[in-house]
């Protein structure tokens, strides 16, 4: 079964005694998180649905409150659990040049008409996202996911077009 969920955060700990939790999340995702009405928490390979009652941000994390979770005991069992949303909901909020990592992994990388490798992973060095590209010669090269190098991404044809500047794939 294909996984239709994407992690958007992790319940770090409880907050107070009224069922609130500290939610760790990726930077610059506040607008997206604010729009969430429901999320899923994975427990024993099952995704349990929760309605978001309230969400606010602190400098280090978000404080989330779920409907019908009203005490410390109610929330404590979810400490350390990942929080998910459905992929379709994430896609609705992606910018034109944003992609889900699992959509990029496996795509073929081309320099002009020549296939030069395929994406085997995605990471971030703090400055930009990096595509891990396994070249035809089986080397793994890191390709900065920036407009000057990644010219186009076509999920449907499973193709990424790059500007293979000297030394990039060696």
């Amino acid at each position: 079964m294909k996984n239709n969920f994407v992690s958007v955060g992790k319940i770090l700990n409880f907050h107070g005694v009224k069922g609130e939790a500290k939610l760790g999340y990726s930077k610059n995702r506040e607008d997206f998180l604010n729009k969430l009405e429901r999320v899923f928490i994975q427990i024993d390979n099952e995704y349990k649905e929760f309605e978001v009652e309230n969400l606010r941000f602190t400098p280090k994390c978000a404080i989330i409150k779920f409907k019908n979770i009203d005490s410390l005991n109610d929330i404590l069992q979810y400490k350390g659990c990942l929080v998910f949303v459905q992929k379709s909901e994430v896609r609705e909020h992606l910018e034109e040049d944003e992609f889900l990592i699992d959509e990029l992994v496996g795509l073929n990388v081309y320099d002009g008409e020549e296939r030069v490798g395929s994406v085997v992973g995605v990471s971030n060095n703090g400055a930009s996202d990096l595509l891990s590209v396994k070249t035809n010669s089986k080397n793994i090269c890191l390709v900065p996911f920036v407009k000057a190098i990644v010219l186009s991404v076509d999920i449907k044809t499973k193709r990424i077009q790059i500007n293979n500047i000297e030394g990039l794939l060696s």
Side-chain angles (χ1 to χ4, degrees):
M1 183 183 95
K2 187 150 168 58
N3 188 336
N4 291 317
F5 295 96
V6 175
S7 175
V8 295
K10 181 178 182 178
I11 296 183
L12 303 173
N13 211 339
F14 63 91
H15 178 79
V17 294
K18 296 185 178 172
E20 292 180 317
K22 293 179 181 180
L23 178 71
Y25 63 94
S26 297
K27 290 180 184 174
N28 303 321
R29 291 291 175 227
E30 292 84 0
D31 288 345
F32 173 72
L33 291 172
N34 258 331
K35 294 174 185 161
L36 295 179
E37 294 177 8
R38 63 192 179 112
V39 296
F40 299 83
I41 295 178
Q42 185 180 15
I43 300 172
D44 300 327
N45 293 324
E46 284 188 42
Y47 292 88
K48 187 173 177 185
E49 186 173 350
F50 290 86
E51 190 174 334
V52 177
E53 187 175 296
N54 188 21
L55 181 74
R56 65 186 190 279
F57 298 94
T58 71
K60 294 186 177 182
C61 65
I63 305 297
I64 193 165
K65 169 81 172 75
F66 302 115
K67 199 169 197 164
N68 300 322
I69 300 284
D70 298 315
S71 73
L72 173 62
N73 289 339
D74 291 344
I75 194 65
L76 207 49
Q77 63 186 315
Y78 303 111
K79 179 180 174 180
C81 291
L82 294 177
V83 177
F84 295 85
V85 296
Q86 292 182 316
K87 281 185 184 176
S88 57
E89 191 166 353
V90 175
R91 276 195 191 93
E92 290 172 21
H93 298 287
L94 291 177
E95 299 293 327
E96 185 179 324
D97 59 350
E98 288 184 316
F99 303 92
L100 296 175
I101 289 173
D102 70 342
E103 290 179 325
L104 297 174
V105 173
L107 295 188
N108 292 309
V109 179
Y110 288 84
D111 176 22
E113 291 303 311
E114 180 189 358
R115 183 185 175 280
V116 292
S118 64
V119 178
V120 294
V122 181
S123 58
N124 187 292
N125 67 359
S128 69
D129 288 325
L130 299 167
L131 299 176
S132 295
V133 176
K134 187 174 191 176
T135 65
N136 294 341
S137 59
K138 307 293 184 225
N139 293 334
I140 303 286
C141 299
L142 296 178
V143 176
F145 200 157
V146 294
K147 287 186 187 327
I149 296 173
V150 177
L151 304 177
S152 67
V153 175
D154 189 333
I155 302 294
K156 287 184 178 68
T157 63
K158 297 184 178 291
R159 184 180 178 114
I160 294 178
Q161 193 70 41
I162 66 165
N163 176 15
N164 188 9
I165 59 176
E166 191 174 334
L168 183 65
L169 296 178
S170 56

